């Protein structure tokens, strides 16, 4: 049972106000005691934007800010936007649109720079970047790593976290070493869609019971997420918006009170500088 003073944060999900459930998904989250969420902009091409330069991402970011404001109005806590460039865009640019990897890198780095403007102004909380989780050519891999390094540089400039979409595994210490070399502390690098054990970045653990138990028992900082994609064409692709609150209730029933405080109060404060307790006002 989740009490009225327990924040429940979904660290990574998407909302589509124009093509699918949008605010209805937020209302589902609230009905099962969800309180806070970090809303990541959908991949640019999913919103009909085929970018040729950094400025082309701006409508994607602006639309995300609008849905985050609408979500906050529904939540007993609030929502924050996370803005950036999906690493899968490089394959779309190179394989489908004919750009060279170096040209794609420049477009995507430009998008990161525009996202950073929103963080600098206080309109966004964090940046999103990463690299493909599937096999690519050496040139595309190098370009992708360069985009991710740009995100680390901007994160260091702004003292903000960077959420990563990247390959699976339990050791990404090389990536956090790159971040630290750029001036961004390792604890401000978050691996989204992570398992319960991860060396290097802070794991944002997908809401599966076995992975959450691993994270809870490990006792290290972690976050919880659904990666809900709000896509009418892929309704069962990942987890639904009710999942994190239901997993919080399940963890509490099984005695993992400390882990819930870790994932929903302490780690969000450490990584993002947000206070999920003071921003919670349940009716």
């Amino acid at each position: 049972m989740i009490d009225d003073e327990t924040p429940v944060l979904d660290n990574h999900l998407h909302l589509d106000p124009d093509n699918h459930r949008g605010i209805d998904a937020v209302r589902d989250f609230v009905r099962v005691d969800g309180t806070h969420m970090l809303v990541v902009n959908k991949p640019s091409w999913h919103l009909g934007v085929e970018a040729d330069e950094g400025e082309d991402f701006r409508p994607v970011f602006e639309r995300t800010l609008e849905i985050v404001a609408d979500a906050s109005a529904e939540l007993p806590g609030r929502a924050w936007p996370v803005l950036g460039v999906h690493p899968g865009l490089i394959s779309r640019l190179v394989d489908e649109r004919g750009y060279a990897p170096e040209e794609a890198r420049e477009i995507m780095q430009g998008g990161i720079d525009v996202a950073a403007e929103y963080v600098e102004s206080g309109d966004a909380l964090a940046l999103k970047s990463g690299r493909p989780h599937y096999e690519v050519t050496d040139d595309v891999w190098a370009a992708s790593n360069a985009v991710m390094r740009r995100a680390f540089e901007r994160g260091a400039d702004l003292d903000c976290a960077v959420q990563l979409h990247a390959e699976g595994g339990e050791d990404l210490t090389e990536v956090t070493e790159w971040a630290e070399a750029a001036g961004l502390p390792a604890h401000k690098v978050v691996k989204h869609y992570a398992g319960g054990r991860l060396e290097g970045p802070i794991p944002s653990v997908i809401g599966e019971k076995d992975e959450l138990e691993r994270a809870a028992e490990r006792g290290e900082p972690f976050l919880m997420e659904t990666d809900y994609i709000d896509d009418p064409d892929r309704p069962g692709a990942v987890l639904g918006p009710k999942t994190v609150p239901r997993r919080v209730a399940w963890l509490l029933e099984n005695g993992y009170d400390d882990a819930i405080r870790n994932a929903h109060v302490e780690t969000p404060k450490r990584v993002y500088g947000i206070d999920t307790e003071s921003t919670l006002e349940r009716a």
Side-chain angles (χ1 to χ4, degrees):
M1 189 72 178
I2 302 173
D3 65 38
D4 288 347
E5 296 179 358
T6 299
V8 175
L9 169 73
D10 189 331
N11 180 66
H12 184 110
L13 80 165
H14 308 275
L15 296 173
D16 191 330
D18 303 309
N19 302 302
H20 201 35
R21 300 198 64 225
I23 291 301
D24 285 340
V26 179
R27 291 173 180 146
D28 280 353
F29 178 72
V30 173
R31 285 188 196 103
V32 289
D33 295 321
T35 65
H36 296 76
M37 52 177 56
L38 267 59
V39 180
V40 184
N41 62 268
K42 295 195 80 171
S44 49
W45 63 96
H46 286 192
L47 297 182
V49 172
E50 297 291 356
D52 296 296
E53 62 179 4
E55 278 297 317
D56 292 341
F57 293 92
R58 200 173 292 277
V60 175
F61 301 152
E62 293 286 347
R63 193 69 184 100
T64 304
L65 296 186
E66 291 171 0
I67 188 65
V68 167
D70 291 344
S72 286
E74 299 285 338
L75 292 163
R78 61 162 294 181
W80 290 272
V82 177
L83 303 181
V85 179
H86 193 287
L89 176 61
I90 196 163
S91 297
R92 191 172 183 87
L93 290 170
V94 172
D95 298 339
E96 298 182 27
R97 300 187 59 208
Y99 281 103
E102 297 76 14
E103 295 171 322
R105 178 201 70 213
E106 291 181 6
I107 293 168
M108 294 171 71
Q109 287 179 331
I112 294 293
D113 289 343
V114 173
E117 292 178 20
Y118 289 89
V119 176
E120 186 171 22
S121 67
D123 292 321
L125 180 67
L127 298 173
K128 183 260 181 77
S129 186
R131 62 191 184 189
H133 63 276
Y134 48 87
E135 196 164 326
V136 293
T137 66
D138 289 347
D139 286 348
V140 167
W141 186 249
S144 298
N145 281 324
V147 174
M148 183 167 59
R149 286 175 180 260
R150 173 67 66 86
F152 293 153
E153 291 166 3
R154 300 315 310 269
D157 292 343
L158 299 165
D159 190 30
C160 77
V162 177
Q163 283 198 16
L164 296 182
H165 176 112
E167 72 275 13
E170 295 187 350
D171 189 348
L172 283 174
T173 51
E174 179 186 48
V175 168
T176 46
E177 287 168 2
W178 293 350
E180 289 178 319
L184 184 69
H187 71 267
K188 286 190 173 288
V189 181
V190 177
K191 167 65 169 70
H192 119 81
Y193 208 98
R197 295 190 188 97
L198 179 65
E199 299 298 327
I202 299 288
S204 183
V205 180
I206 194 67
E208 296 171 353
K209 289 182 177 180
D210 55 347
E211 295 298 345
L212 290 169
E213 274 194 312
R214 289 188 185 102
E217 291 171 2
R218 186 178 181 223
E220 297 293 325
F222 76 104
L223 297 153
M224 292 172 61
E225 70 166 78
T226 55
D227 190 26
Y228 175 66
I229 60 173
D230 206 7
D231 187 338
D233 297 325
R234 301 173 64 204
V238 282
L239 301 174
K242 296 180 181 178
T243 306
V244 164
R246 287 174 169 169
R247 294 295 183 262
V248 167
W250 175 77
L251 286 164
L252 290 171
E253 288 167 8
N254 286 276
Y256 290 113
D257 299 56
D258 289 346
I260 294 307
R261 183 164 185 82
N262 177 358
H264 297 273
V265 178
E266 294 166 357
T267 303
K269 186 174 290 187
R270 183 165 189 245
V271 174
Y272 302 110
I274 58 177
D275 189 333
T276 55
E277 291 181 310
S278 70
T279 51
L280 174 59
E281 295 181 9
R282 290 190 193 270

